[in-house]
Amino acid sequence: MVPMGMTGEPEFTVVMDQIEVVKPTVEDLAKHLITLGSFLNQLYTQAHLIHLNIEGPLFLSLHKFLKKQYEDHIDQFDATAEFVRTLDYLLPMCNRGLAAANKNLKMVKSYDCRDMLTTYLTNLDNCGMAAKEVLACAEAVDAPDIENFLADLIGAMFKAAWFIKATLRG
C-alpha cells in the first residue's frame, strides 16, 4: 500500500545516492579544441582537393563554392588553434600529430562528383556535431568567447551542408 499525503496523492520519499558530476576543465576544453582543429584542418585539405579534382556540368559553381569552403576551413582552423593557445596549451608540431588528434574524417574514395560531395557533406555534418560537443564544454568552463566562435562555426558547417544537399538533390 502506498502511503497517502494530506492531498490524497501518493507520498513518495526520494532518496538520491551521491552522484559525482565531473565538471569539464580548461584542459578538457583545450583537448576538444585540438581535436576540432584537426577536423577543420583535414576538411581544408579535403575541400581543396575536391575543388581541384571535381568535374562535370556543375564544375564552375562547385569549384567556386569549394574554394570559399577551403579558405573558410583554414581560417576556422587558425581561430580554433588560437583559442588553444589562449588557454595556454600547445598544439601538435606536425601534420601527423595533428591528423592523429581526430580520426573521424571520412575519406573520399572516388573521383565521382556525387561521391566526393557526399563524403564531404558527411564530414561537414560530423564536424558541426563535434563542434556542438565542444560548445557544451566551453559553456561548462565559462568561456563565452569560445562559445560565440563555436556557434558561428556550427552555423557555417550546417549551412555548407545544406548547400551541398540542395545541389545533390538537383
Side-chain angles (χ1 to χ4, degrees):
M1 177 147 199
V2 176
M4 295 292 177
M6 293 181 68
T7 63
E9 296 293 319
E11 188 176 290
F12 295 98
T13 304
V14 178
V15 178
M16 300 205 36
D17 292 334
Q18 296 227 356
I19 299 172
E20 185 178 339
V21 177
V22 179
K23 184 179 177 193
T25 64
V26 170
E27 181 177 6
D28 294 329
L29 178 57
K31 287 177 182 178
H32 285 306
L33 286 168
I34 291 168
T35 300
L36 183 61
S38 174
F39 210 149
L40 291 164
N41 188 268
Q42 292 176 66
L43 277 175
Y44 159 78
T45 301
Q46 187 171 77
H48 203 159
L49 292 172
I50 295 170
H51 157 86
L52 294 168
N53 287 312
I54 203 155
E55 293 183 339
L58 297 175
F59 170 79
L60 290 176
S61 58
L62 287 171
H63 186 75
K64 182 178 178 180
F65 169 76
L66 290 163
K67 179 177 171 93
K68 174 85 168 84
Q69 285 300 115
Y70 74 72
E71 289 171 344
D72 286 351
H73 291 320
I74 203 64
D75 290 342
Q76 294 158 346
F77 165 73
D78 190 64
T80 302
E82 288 175 357
F83 281 123
V84 172
R85 295 299 293 134
T86 66
L87 297 173
D88 207 22
Y89 285 85
L90 297 171
L91 290 119
M93 284 298 293
C94 67
N95 192 50
R96 180 179 283 174
L98 185 60
N102 174 52
K103 304 231 187 252
N104 294 324
L105 187 88
K106 305 294 181 224
M107 298 297 169
V108 174
K109 297 180 179 168
S110 165
Y111 286 95
D112 177 75
C113 178
R114 179 170 286 282
D115 291 344
M116 287 190 281
L117 291 176
T118 301
T119 301
Y120 180 57
L121 166 63
T122 298
N123 287 324
L124 288 170
D125 280 336
N126 290 344
C127 188
M129 295 306 291
K132 286 183 177 189
E133 293 176 22
V134 183
L135 178 69
C137 186
E139 288 172 339
V141 300
D142 193 28
D145 53 339
I146 298 173
E147 289 177 57
N148 283 338
F149 165 73
L150 291 169
D152 291 342
L153 176 66
I154 292 163
M157 292 294 120
F158 292 127
K159 184 175 182 180
W162 162 49
F163 282 18
I164 293 172
K165 288 174 191 172
T167 300
L168 291 172
R169 286 183 193 125

